[in-house]
């Protein structure tokens, strides 16, 4: 069955929350090639945060569906010239088949239509394989580090990655 990418709907939010948690945290996430399960505990996103993102007119949430199941997602925040890409994740059984690249391309295309000149994202610096994947997709480290927003037993930081868009 093909995987299709489209805008999230309000009815998607509970399943989207579950997919995000399974892609980033816990034993299910460990089935994939990249995850935060061994770095960060607890919820990746609270249900209220997801509702707030969905309601924000400057945020677009795309989901990847196989039939009725949500198997991936990405968000784009329209900040004008510098858009923000977040929550790019794929359910582990669907990883390594190009779906992450398709979601990334969907987000980048939207940013181009919005008139953004570049896209910024943050990635936990310990996720070296994921950072390398983004670098292969044309993202570069800006040199900026930002603190992780929730205290952890071992302090974490984000690296900031940016990609200039072709139209810029």
């Amino acid at each position: 069955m093909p995987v299709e990418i489209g805008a999230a709907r309000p009815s998607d939010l509970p399943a989207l929350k579950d997919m995000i948690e399974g892609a980033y945290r816990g034993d299910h996430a460990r089935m994939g090639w990249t995850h935060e399960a061994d770095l960060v505990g607890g919820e990746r996103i609270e249900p209220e945060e997801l509702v707030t993102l969905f309601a924000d007119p400057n945020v677009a949430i795309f989901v990847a569906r196989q039939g009725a199941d949500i198997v991936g997602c990405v968000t784009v925040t329209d900040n004008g010239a510098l858009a923000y890409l977040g929550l790019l994740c794929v359910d582990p059984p669907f990883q390594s088949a190009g779906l992450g690249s398709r979601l990334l391309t969907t987000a980048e295309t939207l940013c181009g239509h919005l008139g953004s000149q570049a896209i910024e994202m943050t990635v936990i610096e310990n996720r070296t394989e994921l950072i390398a994947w983004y670098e292969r997709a044309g993202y570069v480290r800006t040199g900026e580090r930002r603190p992780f927003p929730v205290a952890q037993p071992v302090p974490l930081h984000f690296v900031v990655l940016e990609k200039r868009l072709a139209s810029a």
Side-chain angles (χ1 to χ4, degrees):
M1 181 177 287
V3 175
E4 300 193 7
I5 298 173
R9 302 181 292 249
S11 60
D12 292 332
L13 297 184
L16 180 57
K17 161 83 166 112
D18 290 344
M19 190 281 305
I20 291 168
E21 296 302 329
Y24 281 101
R25 309 276 168 86
D27 288 336
H28 186 75
R30 288 184 182 93
M31 294 170 45
W33 69 270
T34 181
H35 55 79
E36 299 174 352
D38 298 323
L39 297 171
V40 183
E43 284 186 302
R44 174 59 174 80
I45 189 167
E46 295 180 11
E48 302 80 25
E49 288 178 89
L50 198 51
V51 169
T52 299
L53 278 175
F54 186 82
D56 187 332
N58 292 319
V59 176
I61 303 175
F62 292 98
V63 294
R65 298 177 203 285
Q66 184 179 56
D69 297 327
I70 295 176
V71 298
C73 73
V74 65
T75 64
V76 171
T77 303
D78 181 3
N79 292 325
L82 183 63
Y84 184 82
L85 186 140
L87 285 176
L88 175 58
C89 62
V90 174
D91 191 26
F94 292 84
Q95 291 179 8
S96 299
L99 183 53
S101 294
R102 287 179 56 205
L103 286 161
L104 187 60
T105 298
T106 298
E108 290 173 352
T109 299
L110 174 62
C111 291
H113 291 310
L114 292 172
S116 301
Q117 297 172 359
I119 304 171
E120 175 185 82
M121 72 173 76
T122 55
V123 180
I124 296 173
E125 66 186 352
N126 306 57
R127 298 182 72 194
T128 55
E129 299 91 356
L130 183 59
I131 292 169
W133 184 82
Y134 283 121
E135 289 174 333
R136 288 190 301 274
Y139 289 79
V140 296
R141 297 174 197 227
T142 66
E144 182 181 356
R145 286 176 80 219
R146 296 179 186 165
F148 193 76
V150 179
Q152 300 295 312
V154 175
L156 297 173
H157 290 85
F158 290 115
V159 294
V160 179
L161 302 171
E162 187 176 299
K163 181 176 184 176
R164 304 289 303 166
L165 296 175
S167 61

